[in-house]
């Protein structure tokens, strides 16, 4: 069996595990652990508190720093309400397209890395190659957020991370982060005829929203001069504002759902500091002067850091040499890459298939893309053996 055929067989097995983000992934992880161990890798599984989810980290080659991480998420998005022409959890072929949920996002990449495990171990690797497969990426990089610090604790110090999200094998060196919040305002209900006796939660939510909009303008001025993002600055959006009952009632509760998409780490820190100061010095004192129980609290729905384009990026240099792809782009979607970058690794996103296929019914990956990915990985094996 040639490598491509082997990869397709592995992919067929992976697609048959319906690892939708809300469901367990441990069976698929155990299956992948066995395949990697058979190829000679040292494999660690990290289970979460429920025991139903796991991350996998495996190593081939010497037990030293400076390795290359091949990273992918094991979960897929649901198929509910999608009109599939085939069983999404059974790999099918349509000409040169391999169809099934997760083929391009991103079990195709994972299957390619597992198929390469044996060829990798046939080399005498001087630089370790790591496999990093996570759970619950689609719901906010939950798995990677727990795995990355765990690896740090254990002293793993890889220097390069390649995240195989579908980029049609182009090199992606940057994307914005995505931070989502729900801010809740607790005031004091009362009769509309006497506003000063109550604390109008909706009115305070509007003040807060106004402050958010002012800060959003300031964020424009903080955009890095050479930013290639569209738009080039960190954006803020207010997605939902609700509260209140009727014309003549002072609302006691209000809720604001908002997000920001940082182009640099400093921007989210800036927003948090400014908002905290506004709450502490302006809003809360006024609210509590009327009702000591008045409050404002913000729930973090998800915080995924971005991948900041860097002038020097060893991951970009390596992948450029392997693929012959001389340019690197930035994209609007999120990945786990920023988490690796925050740990001091250089990171790029590069994987087979198109993001246009991801999350869609009849999701597919072309054999040509899978072959390009295998070729890149073969080059990686050689470069780690050299
Ligand atoms: Zn993905």
């Amino acid at each position: 069996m040639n490598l491509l055929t082997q990869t397709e067989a592995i992919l067929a097995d992976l697609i048959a595990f319906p690892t939708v983000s809300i469901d367990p992934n441990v069976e698929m992880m155990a299956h992948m652990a066995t395949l990697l161990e058979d190829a000679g890798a040292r494999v660690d599984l990290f289970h979460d508190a429920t025991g139903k989810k796991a991350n996998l980290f495996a190593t081939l080659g010497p037990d030293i720093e400076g390795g290359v991480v091949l990273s992918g998420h094991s979960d897929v998005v649901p198929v509910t309400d999608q009109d599939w022409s085939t069983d999404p959890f059974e790999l099918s072929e349509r000409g040169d397209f391999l169809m099934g949920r997760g083929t391009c996002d991103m079990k195709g990449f994972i299957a390619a890395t597992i198929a390469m495990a044996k060829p990798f171990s046939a080399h005498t690797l001087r630089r370790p190659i790591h496999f990093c497969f996570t759970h619950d990426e689609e719901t906010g990089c939950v798995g990677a957020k727990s795995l990355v610090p765990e690896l740090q604790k254990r002293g793993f110090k890889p220097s390069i991370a390649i995240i195989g999200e579908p980029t049609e094998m182009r090199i992606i060196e940057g994307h914005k982060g995505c931070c989502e919040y729900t801010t809740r305002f607790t005031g004091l209900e009362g009769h509309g005829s006497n506003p000063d006796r109550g604390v109008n939660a909706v009115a305070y939510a509007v003040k807060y929203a106004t402050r958010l909009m002012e800060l959003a303008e300031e964020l424009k001025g903080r955009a890095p001069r050479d930013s290639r993002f569209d738009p080039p600055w960190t954006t803020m959006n207010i997605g939902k504002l609700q509260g209140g009952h009727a014309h003549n009632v002072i609302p006691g509760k209000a809720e604001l759902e908002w997000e920001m998409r940082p182009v640099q780490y400093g921007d989210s820190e800036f927003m948090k500091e400014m908002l905290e100061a506004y709450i502490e010095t302006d809003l809360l004192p006024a609210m509590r002067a009327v009702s000591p129980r008045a409050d404002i609290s913000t729930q973090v729905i998800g915080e995924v850091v971005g991948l900041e384009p860097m002038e020097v990026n060893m991951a970009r240099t390596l992948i450029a040499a392997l693929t012959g792809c001389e340019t690197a782009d930035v994209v609007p979607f999120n990945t786990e890459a920023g988490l690796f970058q925050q740990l001091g690794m250089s990171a790029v996103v590069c994987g087979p298939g198109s993001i246009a296929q991801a999350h869609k019914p009849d999701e597919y990956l072309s054999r040509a893309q899978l072959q390009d990915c295998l070729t890149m990985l073969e080059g990686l094996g050689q470069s780690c053996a050299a």
Side-chain angles (χ1 to χ4, degrees):
M1 243 201 291
N2 69 21
L3 252 182
L4 182 60
T5 319
Q6 284 175 38
T7 306
E8 286 181 36
I10 295 169
L11 179 58
D13 288 343
L14 299 187
I15 295 297
F17 292 100
T19 50
V20 175
S21 306
I22 52 161
D23 296 322
N25 77 339
V26 281
E27 284 181 24
M28 183 170 110
M29 286 300 192
H31 174 72
M32 298 195 295
T34 308
L35 294 177
L36 290 169
E37 273 164 0
D38 286 349
R42 305 184 290 285
V43 184
D44 277 311
L45 285 171
F46 301 82
H47 290 83
D48 77 348
T50 68
K52 290 175 180 162
K53 307 270 193 176
N55 290 312
L56 180 155
F57 192 82
T59 302
L60 282 170
D63 202 5
I64 54 169
E65 297 179 7
V68 177
V69 174
L70 301 171
S71 173
H73 60 81
S74 65
D75 57 321
V76 295
V77 294
V79 294
T80 339
D81 298 328
Q82 289 191 346
D83 190 16
W84 280 72
S85 59
T86 58
D87 179 351
F89 297 109
E90 189 183 327
L91 188 71
S92 55
E93 290 178 51
R94 189 174 287 175
D96 260 342
F97 293 156
L98 303 164
M99 199 184 289
R101 170 55 84 228
T103 43
C104 88
D105 186 17
M106 56 183 293
K107 291 178 174 177
F109 175 78
I110 293 179
T113 63
I114 295 174
M116 281 302 299
K118 277 184 183 160
F120 284 154
S121 20
H123 292 293
T124 308
L125 295 176
R126 292 176 201 282
R127 179 179 209 177
I129 296 177
H130 306 282
F131 302 79
C132 179
F133 304 141
T134 58
H135 65 83
D136 293 313
E137 186 270 349
E138 300 286 4
T139 48
C141 295
V142 180
K145 276 185 199 161
S146 65
L147 181 61
V148 167
E150 186 66 34
L151 297 179
Q152 201 178 24
K153 237 189 287 168
R154 294 191 181 202
F156 285 109
K157 283 197 182 133
S159 58
I160 285 179
I162 299 159
I163 289 79
E165 292 275 5
T167 67
E168 296 170 277
M169 297 306 293
R170 287 182 306 133
I171 303 172
I172 302 304
E173 62 173 336
H175 60 70
K176 292 186 182 185
C178 184
C179 305
E180 295 181 326
Y181 306 98
T182 299
T183 303
R184 297 190 174 88
F185 302 82
T186 306
L188 179 66
E189 285 203 0
H191 195 276
S193 61
N194 206 334
D196 293 344
R197 288 212 189 138
V199 178
N200 191 316
V202 169
Y204 279 98
V206 168
K207 282 178 193 263
Y208 189 85
T210 307
R211 184 73 185 123
L212 280 175
M213 291 189 285
E214 287 167 6
L215 290 170
E217 285 305 309
E218 287 188 40
L219 287 173
K220 290 183 182 173
R222 292 171 55 94
R225 224 175 303 147
D226 52 353
S227 174
R228 285 179 284 151
F229 292 109
D230 176 25
W233 45 78
T234 294
T235 55
M236 187 285 299
N237 179 57
I238 297 168
K240 189 173 173 183
L241 167 60
Q242 65 177 1
H245 303 290
H247 303 77
N248 58 351
V249 181
I250 301 169
K253 299 229 176 280
E255 210 172 274
L256 196 65
E257 293 182 16
W258 59 283
E259 62 147 41
M260 58 178 162
R261 306 208 169 214
V263 294
Q264 52 195 348
Y265 302 134
D267 283 355
S268 40
E269 297 307 312
F270 164 77
M271 282 293 269
K272 282 180 188 174
E273 277 168 29
M274 298 306 275
L275 288 168
E276 211 166 291
Y278 184 55
I279 289 173
E280 294 304 324
T281 57
D282 286 63
L283 299 186
L284 273 186
M287 293 167 83
R288 288 187 175 157
V290 180
S291 166
R293 300 226 304 264
D295 199 21
I296 300 173
S297 65
T298 293
Q299 181 189 358
V300 178
I301 304 300
E303 282 181 332
V304 180
V305 290
L307 175 63
E308 264 183 66
M310 298 283 175
E311 213 168 295
V312 178
N313 182 330
M314 288 185 300
R316 183 185 63 210
T317 309
L318 175 68
I319 301 301
L322 296 176
T323 59
C325 183
E326 279 167 13
T327 55
D329 298 321
V330 297
V331 287
F333 58 87
N334 286 120
T335 76
E336 299 174 337
L339 289 165
F340 292 97
Q341 190 180 51
Q342 269 198 323
L343 271 191
M345 288 178 235
S346 61
V348 290
V349 188
C350 179
S354 161
I355 195 72
Q357 287 305 314
H359 304 193
K360 299 258 176 67
D362 289 349
E363 173 183 346
Y364 67 78
L365 173 64
S366 77
R367 284 201 169 96
Q369 281 285 306
L370 203 48
Q371 183 55 60
D372 286 351
C373 179
L374 287 167
T375 306
M376 183 268 279
L377 293 172
E378 283 180 302
L380 176 70
Q382 279 155 13
S383 90
C384 290

